[in-house]
Amino acid sequence: MSIATPIKLACLDLAGTTVGDIAMVERAFAEAIATQGIVPGTGAYARAMVHVHRSRGRPKIDVFHGIFPDNEAQAQAANLTFERAYAGAIERSGLIPVPGTVEALDKIQAAGIQIALITGFSRATLGRVLSALDWSDKLDLALSPEDAGRGRPYPDMILTAVLRLGIDDVRHVAVAGDAESDMLAARRAGASAAIGLLTGAHSKQRLLSGGATHILDTFADLPTLLLTPIPTTEPTPTPC
């Protein structure tokens, strides 16, 4: 059944959606797996980086569990290296929002829509990111997987935002992200809109396969979409 629901909460991804740091993230992953003996130029490295790409948006420790499925110590060590490498990159280069992001956040906020930032980074890394961006006046909430129980593609972070921000109905939620896991989480949470951004990890086809209801070329286009009642089909929850 077709619905037109006003949006009261926008759940927004970080890397590749609001912040253009895809290269920084991939370098940190490469450095992390190299410390565990998987080095560039090998088949194991190529397979690991394919896994990294396919798993974008998921908790970083879950990505390393996928690369080192039988070795918890290696997964934890790689995750620690990733966090250190990414923190070092932030210190050296800072973080640059995707063009139009700051203006778009201001428009969304001015319209009375609450904003929750959701990410696959750990709480410690998320803290460093928020400090570098200085967006405290633009966000109502920022969540890592540790804050919600499970990360994407599970709906936990979106539903935690709904509860903490007092949203009455999940159909008043829109989710925007650049990865298939963002779209899966949005549909599983029952959000009215799962908005795929073509500025980051995954292609239009991957986003649509994850359940995207809308595709945007740039984050700057998001306010126009959110400020108009979004016609969409009734979301069908995707099994976890």
Side-chain angles (χ1 to χ4, degrees):
M1 182 174 63
S2 179
I3 61 173
T5 305
I7 297 302
K8 298 181 180 179
L9 170 63
C11 291
L12 310 176
D13 176 50
L14 186 58
T17 299
T18 54
V19 178
D21 62 347
I22 292 294
M24 288 171 59
V25 172
E26 291 192 351
R27 284 195 297 269
F29 269 117
E31 183 173 335
I33 62 176
T35 64
Q36 302 305 309
I38 300 179
V39 296
T42 65
Y45 177 85
R47 290 190 294 273
M49 293 308 290
V50 167
H51 177 76
V52 166
H53 178 74
R54 288 176 176 170
S55 303
R56 287 302 301 266
R58 298 175 183 240
K60 303 304 178 276
I61 185 60
D62 289 359
V63 178
F64 289 116
H65 281 145
I67 297 173
F68 306 105
D70 302 315
N71 195 320
E72 178 66 19
Q74 273 192 301
Q76 292 291 344
N79 187 61
L80 181 59
T81 300
F82 171 88
E83 294 198 354
R84 289 173 174 170
Y86 189 71
I90 293 175
E91 290 176 5
R92 290 189 301 271
S93 306
L95 289 173
I96 301 174
V98 171
T101 293
V102 173
E103 296 81 1
L105 291 175
D106 288 341
K107 290 177 182 178
I108 294 168
Q109 186 180 51
I113 298 173
Q114 296 190 83
I115 298 173
L117 199 66
I118 58 177
T119 180
F121 288 134
S122 70
R123 167 47 65 178
T125 300
L126 175 58
R128 295 187 182 96
V129 169
L130 294 176
S131 295
L133 292 172
D134 192 24
W135 281 357
S136 59
D137 61 335
K138 302 183 186 303
L139 306 174
D140 295 284
L141 188 64
L143 295 172
S144 71
E146 296 159 59
D147 300 313
R150 298 177 297 181
R152 296 169 298 209
Y154 298 103
D156 300 32
M157 288 192 291
I158 299 168
L159 297 177
T160 297
V162 167
L163 291 171
R164 291 195 187 180
L165 295 175
I167 303 302
D168 295 331
D169 190 328
V170 291
R171 289 172 296 182
H172 293 303
V173 177
V175 177
D178 67 300
E180 181 182 26
S181 60
D182 295 305
M183 305 298 100
L184 287 168
R187 299 310 295 264
R188 290 170 175 178
S192 281
I195 304 165
L197 275 296
L198 299 178
T199 51
H202 289 159
S203 66
K204 179 178 180 179
Q205 187 55 48
R206 281 291 298 276
L207 294 168
L208 290 172
S209 70
T213 58
H214 303 78
I215 299 291
L216 295 179
D217 291 324
T218 172
F219 192 84
D221 295 332
L222 186 62
T224 300
L225 183 59
L226 295 185
L227 300 182
T228 304
I230 297 178
T232 179
T233 56
E234 187 74 37
T236 301
T238 303
C240 294

